[in-house]
Amino acid sequence: MMERDALWRESLARGGNCPHTFNPMQNSAHHSLEPLGEESDADGSRLVLSGQLTLAHIGPLETDLRRIDGPVRVVDLAGVEEIDTVGAYVVCRMARLHESDITGASPEAERLLAAVREIDTAGDTHPHRLPVWERVPTALGERVFGARGGIYGVVGFFGQVLVGAASLARHPSRFPFKALVHQMELVGVSALPIIGLMSFLIGIVIAQQGSVQLQQFGAEALTVNLVGRITLRELGVLMTAIMVAGRSGSAFAAQLGTMKLTEEIDAMRTIGISPIEVLVIPRIVAATFMMILLGFYASVLAIIGGAVVGQFALGINFVAFLLRIQEVVPTHDLWVGLIKAPVFGLIVAMSGCYNGLQVRSNSEEVGRRTTMSVVSAIFAVIVIDAFFAVFFTEIGWG
Amino acid sequence: MKMNTDTRDEGPAIVVEGLVNRFGDFAVHDGLDLTVRRGEILGVVGGSGTGKSVLMRSIIGLQQPDAGRITVLGRNLCGEGAETDLVVRERWGVLFQGGALFSTLSVGENVEVPIKQFYPDLDPAFRAEIARYKVMLTGLPEDAVQKYPSELSGGMKKRAGLARALALDPELLFLDEPTAGLDPIGAAKFDRLTRELQETLGLTVFLITHDLDTLYEICDRVAVIADKTIIAVGTIPELVATGHPWIEEYFNGPRGRSAHDAHLRGEAVNAAANGAEIGA
């Protein structure tokens, strides 16, 4: 408000015309209560309003008017210089509350008052707010039920994908190969630089930090075992899954969510195209297949990162490091990684597509669902990874 | 719209002089002139792609023209000596084609946005009350106040958008195809609402439309955009009298004729009703 007043004063000084006023002294709305004269035998008073009954100036007056409780028989508008719909609304509300008459209104004010009178805003639209001890359990209960609905939704979506896949298997000519190749490029090929760099650096960190600890036992040579086994079994695939969830899972959710909002998906359905077959299955297949390649690629880059540390910090020759990997890492470590990778890819793609298709109503939901797709994908990947770790150890692939 | 005892300038509401808008090599407007008088409803018509919306966007400052001068409510907004502080924004309201409601806010909160922007000191409860009143002023039911735009039909969205445009009691109202996508009954109601509000609030209305019924029923004057400029402004009989081929086709085509006939029928019914009253 201060800023705007300054603006008006400045424009007054320049001689320009201001939106509301020419004289800052008149820049307000006033009221006064006067006793009714001899002409009336009823007790009560006359409310005299003056000045500018406009949105810009009515704030303080409105607060004062709320405090008047005595019977007001007459509202006098003769001194009003300017009135707008908000002013007319306040006058009408006052008159309705006290059942008083309005006098002294100019023709323009009368017109506004007539328009306002037709509208009955007496009803209270503020929703009733529950007390906190009811609100918190209610919110909690709604969440629990929402989670149940979410599980139904995910299972249902998985079913839809299976049905779609079966239908494509029966009609292979319908399979969207072009979309699949395009998604493979987006998920796989364009992720190569960032996943390569990430894995290379992780390899360096593991080798360097591992060697510092192993040195205390005089076992730096075991750094090779550490790097080889941990990247092939766990980190290569896990970090790649997290990266793909952030890069591609979120993109799936945002794309499908936006398509949902713009009714593209509804349009497909009306033409008889299944959005599951055309949009979801190519993405899931691309992410599942590319995760295998990306996971292996990430492990290789991490081992190279370890070998670089070996060459420069540990005095192990680069080629010797790689040959030693072959000796100390059992083949089943590679299989552990390669079996987990497609499962993680499936989870990430399913989470992205499912959340994208859940978008309803507005743009805020697209953002919320995109976030949710990444968070739930990473969480699910880590949970499944824990099960895999126990499982593979139990079957003797320790 | 305010009833004024002071001597406010009574010049035209909008003056556009020599407007030029180019997109790359393609000129949409080339030396366009237009004057909108105070208190009138001016309809703007023209074929698709002739730059009706671009003209509106230029006037309200969303599109920087390549040349020309635009004066709105006595304030020079564009061209030499243009003012940079847009105090005038408070004095106009804009209804975009799809309503352009903020999708994450309820209808009531949408209407509160401009009030909060210009009068942050106002008591929030009173602000909500004003918003509710404005929503009902546009003929929406009371429970619409708490609904979100996604829960509204197309016609209700337009009304809600109009309520937001009217939030600050503007003097000047811009409507971009207000009846597009409405059913004929809804469109007729919206036309009547526009006229009623214009009369009660003393608004000046700048209205872009394709709806011939709207032109016949509520527009005081009509401006025709073609050949990168305004080729004619006037009442519909005046426009038809110019004999320009496009105007001829527009108003004398099958749709133009039926709208005209409907308008005449409406007038005849009114005249008959008046006659009956006099007779009684």
Side-chain angles (χ1 to χ4, degrees):
Chain A
M1 205 62 210
M2 288 300 292
E3 217 174 285
R4 296 190 54 73
D5 280 344
L7 209 71
W8 287 333
R9 271 199 292 279
E10 192 192 314
S11 93
L12 272 175
R14 288 203 311 258
N17 61 337
C18 319
H20 290 303
T21 179
F22 283 84
N23 182 352
M25 294 303 288
Q26 294 175 345
N27 201 347
S28 60
H30 309 282
H31 78 285
S32 62
L33 277 174
E34 295 168 1
L36 278 178
E38 293 290 310
E39 73 269 21
S40 170
D41 46 53
D43 50 335
S45 50
R46 168 194 292 270
L47 175 69
V48 180
L49 297 175
S50 58
Q52 301 190 316
L53 298 189
T54 59
L55 183 56
H57 309 301
I58 206 156
L61 176 73
E62 198 266 337
T63 323
D64 292 344
L65 288 184
R66 275 178 193 277
R67 297 208 187 96
I68 296 175
D69 53 355
V72 176
R73 296 280 171 232
V74 177
V75 180
D76 189 348
L77 300 181
V80 172
E81 291 156 15
E82 202 179 330
I83 187 165
D84 64 6
T85 54
V86 175
Y89 170 71
V90 171
V91 169
C92 258
R93 195 184 61 186
M94 195 69 199
R96 191 182 293 141
L97 188 67
H98 297 284
E99 294 175 353
S100 44
D101 299 323
I102 299 170
T103 63
S106 65
E108 286 91 341
E110 198 56 64
R111 225 168 45 192
L112 284 176
L113 289 170
V116 174
R117 266 194 213 104
E118 289 168 14
I119 299 165
D120 180 24
T121 53
D124 181 20
T125 54
H126 287 283
H128 180 59
R129 214 171 140 84
L130 291 169
V132 68
W133 59 86
E134 288 183 40
R135 212 162 57 227
V136 173
T138 308
L140 188 68
E142 277 169 2
R143 285 212 160 205
V144 171
F145 271 80
R148 192 184 68 166
I151 290 169
Y152 283 153
V154 172
V155 173
F157 178 69
F158 193 65
Q160 278 181 305
V161 172
L162 289 182
V163 170
S167 142
L168 282 179
R170 264 183 286 124
H171 309 278
S173 60
R174 280 220 309 258
F175 194 86
F177 281 106
K178 230 176 127 182
L180 176 67
V181 172
H182 180 63
Q183 289 301 332
M184 280 182 162
E185 184 185 343
L186 288 181
V187 176
V189 180
S190 48
L192 286 177
I194 184 67
I195 287 181
L197 181 63
M198 175 191 73
S199 305
F200 182 75
L201 294 176
I202 285 177
I204 288 179
V205 171
I206 292 169
Q208 199 270 330
Q209 292 295 311
S211 69
V212 169
Q213 297 303 317
L214 290 170
Q215 243 164 13
Q216 298 176 18
F217 310 99
E220 296 116 285
L222 288 179
T223 307
V224 182
N225 305 38
L226 179 70
V227 170
R229 299 205 65 181
I230 203 167
T231 52
L232 280 170
R233 266 185 96 93
E234 289 293 334
L235 281 183
V237 176
L238 192 63
M239 296 305 290
T240 307
I242 290 171
M243 193 52 107
V244 170
R247 264 188 99 256
S248 303
S250 60
F252 293 169
Q255 283 165 356
L256 297 187
T258 312
M259 291 175 82
K260 194 86 195 280
L261 277 192
T262 54
E263 297 181 319
E264 280 175 65
I265 287 176
D266 294 339
M268 277 182 190
R269 286 213 175 94
T270 58
I271 301 171
I273 300 170
S274 157
I276 298 282
E277 288 178 23
V278 181
L279 299 174
V280 174
I281 288 184
R283 285 175 168 78
I284 289 182
V285 173
T288 308
F289 183 66
M290 290 323 267
M291 258 306 293
I292 304 174
L293 301 184
L294 286 175
F296 181 70
Y297 164 78
S299 304
V300 169
L301 266 283
I303 289 170
I304 292 175
V308 167
V309 173
Q311 170 86 45
F312 292 105
L314 306 178
I316 307 173
N317 179 272
F318 188 84
V319 178
F321 191 102
L322 296 185
L323 289 174
R324 183 100 185 105
I325 288 272
Q326 208 179 6
E327 288 165 27
V328 299
V329 178
T331 321
H332 62 66
D333 276 4
L334 176 67
W335 289 120
V336 167
L338 291 185
I339 289 169
K340 287 198 290 191
V343 177
F344 292 173
L346 182 72
I347 290 170
V348 167
M350 289 270 292
S351 172
C353 292
Y354 171 72
N355 279 296
L357 290 177
Q358 291 306 302
V359 169
R360 311 251 182 285
S361 69
N362 63 34
S363 50
E364 190 185 21
E365 185 114 333
V366 176
R368 210 169 58 80
R369 282 287 174 181
T370 305
T371 308
M372 204 191 274
S373 79
V374 176
V375 172
S376 52
I378 292 176
F379 179 73
V381 160
I382 288 171
V383 170
I384 300 280
D385 190 46
F387 279 108
F388 270 130
V390 177
F391 173 76
F392 285 127
T393 312
E394 285 299 308
I395 64 165
W397 280 8
Chain B
M1 70 134 304
K2 278 133 198 158
M3 159 197 123
N4 265 325
T5 48
D6 57 37
T7 52
R8 199 207 291 286
D9 56 320
E10 287 301 324
I14 305 172
V15 182
V16 179
E17 294 161 291
L19 182 72
V20 179
N21 270 309
R22 275 192 212 97
F23 293 113
D25 288 338
F26 176 70
V28 182
H29 301 133
D30 197 357
L32 182 147
D33 298 312
L34 177 68
T35 303
V36 183
R37 299 178 192 148
R38 287 217 184 214
E40 75 171 347
I41 298 187
L42 179 84
V44 176
V45 300
S48 297
T50 49
K52 301 183 294 293
S53 293
V54 177
L55 173 62
M56 185 180 107
R57 291 172 65 86
S58 303
I59 296 172
I60 59 183
L62 293 176
Q63 159 89 29
Q64 185 63 43
D66 294 291
R69 217 176 130 82
I70 296 172
T71 313
V72 178
L73 300 169
R75 292 187 154 241
N76 182 5
L77 299 185
C78 173
E80 235 166 80
E83 294 169 50
T84 44
D85 69 273
L86 285 179
V87 181
V88 74
R89 263 174 215 258
E90 187 191 3
R91 295 163 68 192
W92 73 44
V94 184
L95 170 63
F96 289 95
Q97 211 166 349
L101 294 167
F102 305 125
S103 61
T104 53
L105 301 179
S106 71
V107 169
E109 286 164 343
N110 260 284
V111 179
E112 281 185 54
V113 169
I115 305 178
K116 200 170 176 180
Q117 173 70 19
F118 281 96
Y119 304 108
D121 294 343
L122 219 58
D123 174 35
F126 183 51
R127 191 169 64 215
E129 212 177 318
I130 296 176
R132 201 168 74 215
Y133 153 62
K134 295 279 178 180
V135 170
M136 292 172 75
L137 188 70
T138 54
L140 284 172
E142 194 168 355
D143 59 357
V145 176
Q146 286 172 49
K147 286 192 176 157
Y148 284 85
S150 55
E151 301 170 288
L152 300 180
S153 69
M156 288 169 92
K157 271 184 203 163
K158 297 230 165 158
R159 280 172 192 261
L162 185 64
R164 191 178 68 188
L166 291 172
L168 294 171
D169 271 25
E171 294 159 53
L172 186 54
L173 188 61
F174 293 90
L175 306 176
D176 190 355
E177 304 214 11
T179 55
L182 298 190
D183 65 278
I185 301 171
K189 278 189 187 158
F190 201 94
D191 282 347
R192 219 173 304 136
L193 175 69
T194 311
R195 188 83 222 178
E196 273 171 21
L197 289 171
Q198 189 266 337
E199 279 169 3
T200 4
L201 310 180
L203 298 167
T204 306
V205 182
F206 179 98
L207 186 152
I208 294 175
T209 190
H210 278 305
D211 190 334
L212 284 149
D213 291 310
T214 307
L215 293 175
Y216 274 107
E217 293 304 324
I218 67 168
C219 290
D220 296 309
R221 293 196 304 154
V222 175
V224 182
I225 299 195
D227 309 330
K228 299 171 187 178
T229 182
I230 301 274
I231 53 169
V233 191
T235 60
I236 294 173
E238 283 169 17
L239 290 180
V240 176
T242 59
H244 188 281
W246 192 85
I247 300 176
E248 188 79 5
E249 206 182 330
Y250 193 86
F251 288 105
N252 286 339
R255 282 160 170 268
R257 282 199 175 281
S258 65
H260 182 57
D261 292 347
H263 177 63
L264 289 182
R265 271 200 303 280
E267 286 200 333
V269 169
N270 281 341
N274 290 339
E277 263 170 41
I278 293 162

